PDB file of all heavy atoms in Angstrom:
ATOM      1  N   HIS A  47      70.962  68.721 113.743  1.00  0.00           N
ATOM      2  CA  HIS A  47      70.993  67.260 113.881  1.00  0.00           C
ATOM      3  C   HIS A  47      71.274  66.603 112.536  1.00  0.00           C
ATOM      4  O   HIS A  47      72.083  65.661 112.451  1.00  0.00           O
ATOM      5  CB  HIS A  47      69.667  66.756 114.434  1.00  0.00           C
ATOM      6  CG  HIS A  47      69.541  65.261 114.432  1.00  0.00           C
ATOM      7  ND1 HIS A  47      70.084  64.463 115.421  1.00  0.00           N
ATOM      8  CD2 HIS A  47      68.948  64.410 113.538  1.00  0.00           C
ATOM      9  CE1 HIS A  47      69.841  63.195 115.145  1.00  0.00           C
ATOM     10  NE2 HIS A  47      69.147  63.137 114.005  1.00  0.00           N
ATOM     11  N   MET A  48      70.617  67.051 111.503  1.00  0.00           N
ATOM     12  CA  MET A  48      70.831  66.473 110.175  1.00  0.00           C
ATOM     13  C   MET A  48      72.297  66.579 109.755  1.00  0.00           C
ATOM     14  O   MET A  48      72.880  65.642 109.205  1.00  0.00           O
ATOM     15  CB  MET A  48      69.952  67.182 109.140  1.00  0.00           C
ATOM     16  CG  MET A  48      68.464  66.926 109.306  1.00  0.00           C
ATOM     17  SD  MET A  48      67.494  67.899 108.109  1.00  0.00           S
ATOM     18  CE  MET A  48      65.830  67.312 108.466  1.00  0.00           C
ATOM     19  N   ILE A  49      72.895  67.731 110.017  1.00  0.00           N
ATOM     20  CA  ILE A  49      74.289  67.968 109.627  1.00  0.00           C
ATOM     21  C   ILE A  49      75.249  67.147 110.478  1.00  0.00           C
ATOM     22  O   ILE A  49      76.123  66.436 109.956  1.00  0.00           O
ATOM     23  CB  ILE A  49      74.621  69.469 109.739  1.00  0.00           C
ATOM     24  CG1 ILE A  49      73.839  70.261 108.685  1.00  0.00           C
ATOM     25  CG2 ILE A  49      76.125  69.701 109.588  1.00  0.00           C
ATOM     26  CD1 ILE A  49      73.943  71.759 108.843  1.00  0.00           C
ATOM     27  N   PHE A  50      75.092  67.228 111.795  1.00  0.00           N
ATOM     28  CA  PHE A  50      76.027  66.560 112.702  1.00  0.00           C
ATOM     29  C   PHE A  50      75.864  65.043 112.704  1.00  0.00           C
ATOM     30  O   PHE A  50      76.850  64.301 112.684  1.00  0.00           O
ATOM     31  CB  PHE A  50      75.863  67.109 114.111  1.00  0.00           C
ATOM     32  CG  PHE A  50      76.431  68.485 114.316  1.00  0.00           C
ATOM     33  CD1 PHE A  50      76.102  69.229 115.445  1.00  0.00           C
ATOM     34  CD2 PHE A  50      77.291  69.051 113.387  1.00  0.00           C
ATOM     35  CE1 PHE A  50      76.633  70.499 115.651  1.00  0.00           C
ATOM     36  CE2 PHE A  50      77.825  70.323 113.578  1.00  0.00           C
ATOM     37  CZ  PHE A  50      77.495  71.048 114.712  1.00  0.00           C
ATOM     38  N   ALA A  51      74.631  64.564 112.737  1.00  0.00           N
ATOM     39  CA  ALA A  51      74.395  63.118 112.810  1.00  0.00           C
ATOM     40  C   ALA A  51      74.860  62.400 111.543  1.00  0.00           C
ATOM     41  O   ALA A  51      75.191  61.210 111.591  1.00  0.00           O
ATOM     42  CB  ALA A  51      72.907  62.842 113.056  1.00  0.00           C
ATOM     43  N   HIS A  52      74.892  63.117 110.423  1.00  0.00           N
ATOM     44  CA  HIS A  52      75.318  62.513 109.160  1.00  0.00           C
ATOM     45  C   HIS A  52      76.721  62.968 108.747  1.00  0.00           C
ATOM     46  O   HIS A  52      77.157  62.705 107.624  1.00  0.00           O
ATOM     47  CB  HIS A  52      74.309  62.832 108.061  1.00  0.00           C
ATOM     48  CG  HIS A  52      72.970  62.180 108.277  1.00  0.00           C
ATOM     49  ND1 HIS A  52      71.995  62.744 109.068  1.00  0.00           N
ATOM     50  CD2 HIS A  52      72.457  60.998 107.828  1.00  0.00           C
ATOM     51  CE1 HIS A  52      70.935  61.945 109.090  1.00  0.00           C
ATOM     52  NE2 HIS A  52      71.187  60.891 108.358  1.00  0.00           N
ATOM     53  N   ASN A  53      77.405  63.642 109.680  1.00  0.00           N
ATOM     54  CA  ASN A  53      78.792  64.068 109.449  1.00  0.00           C
ATOM     55  C   ASN A  53      78.958  64.831 108.135  1.00  0.00           C
ATOM     56  O   ASN A  53      79.929  64.616 107.388  1.00  0.00           O
ATOM     57  CB  ASN A  53      79.735  62.859 109.472  1.00  0.00           C
ATOM     58  CG  ASN A  53      79.861  62.249 110.847  1.00  0.00           C
ATOM     59  OD1 ASN A  53      80.110  62.942 111.832  1.00  0.00           O
ATOM     60  ND2 ASN A  53      79.660  60.948 110.941  1.00  0.00           N
ATOM     61  N   LEU A  54      78.007  65.717 107.857  1.00  0.00           N
ATOM     62  CA  LEU A  54      78.094  66.508 106.636  1.00  0.00           C
ATOM     63  C   LEU A  54      79.114  67.643 106.828  1.00  0.00           C
ATOM     64  O   LEU A  54      79.143  68.287 107.886  1.00  0.00           O
ATOM     65  CB  LEU A  54      76.727  67.091 106.286  1.00  0.00           C
ATOM     66  CG  LEU A  54      75.620  66.065 106.004  1.00  0.00           C
ATOM     67  CD1 LEU A  54      74.309  66.772 105.677  1.00  0.00           C
ATOM     68  CD2 LEU A  54      76.018  65.138 104.870  1.00  0.00           C
TER      69      LEU A  54
END
Side-chain angles (χ1 to χ4, degrees):
H47 172 82
M48 292 176 176
I49 292 172
F50 286 166
H52 293 85
N53 291 310
L54 298 180

